[in-house]
Amino acid sequence: MNIKVITGTPTNIENIQIVDVCTTTYTTQLNQKSLLQKVFGNKNDQSFTDGIEQLISIAQSSGGNIIFDIKVSTATAEFRNGIYLYTTLVATIGKE
C-alpha cells in the first residue's frame, strides 16, 4: 500500500478520515566520533528518514494511507559516552 507523506495540511482535508495520531522518537549521536565509530559506523544513529519510515509503518498497521501535519520536537542529553539528539515526530494518520 502506498502511503502519502504531506508536511502540512492537505488541501482536501474534508475528504480525509482521521485514523490515528502517532509519535516516534529517534536518536543521533552529536559529539565527535571515535576512530572505530568512524571506520565501522554507529548502528545506533538514526536519521529523519528513519523517523518517517517508522511513521509509515505505523500508518500501514493503522489502516491509514496518508500522513500529514507532521510536528518535530528535539532535545539533547549528555552521557559519559557522548551527546545525543533526541528527535520526536508527531503526525496525524488519515484515510482518503
Side-chain angles (χ1 to χ4, degrees), residues 20-69:
D20 200 359
V21 174
C22 63
T23 181
T24 184
T25 301
Y26 63 91
T27 60
T28 306
Q29 189 173 12
L30 295 179
N31 68 332
Q32 186 176 1
K33 296 179 180 180
S34 70
L35 179 60
L36 288 176
Q37 286 176 322
K38 287 179 183 177
V39 172
F40 295 107
N42 187 349
K43 294 180 177 126
N44 294 325
D45 277 357
Q46 295 176 313
S47 67
F48 183 77
T49 303
D50 295 321
I52 295 296
E53 287 174 5
Q54 290 171 2
L55 291 177
I56 290 171
S57 176
I58 293 167
Q60 289 173 334
S61 64
S62 297
N65 63 358
I66 184 168
I67 299 170
F68 62 97
D69 206 20

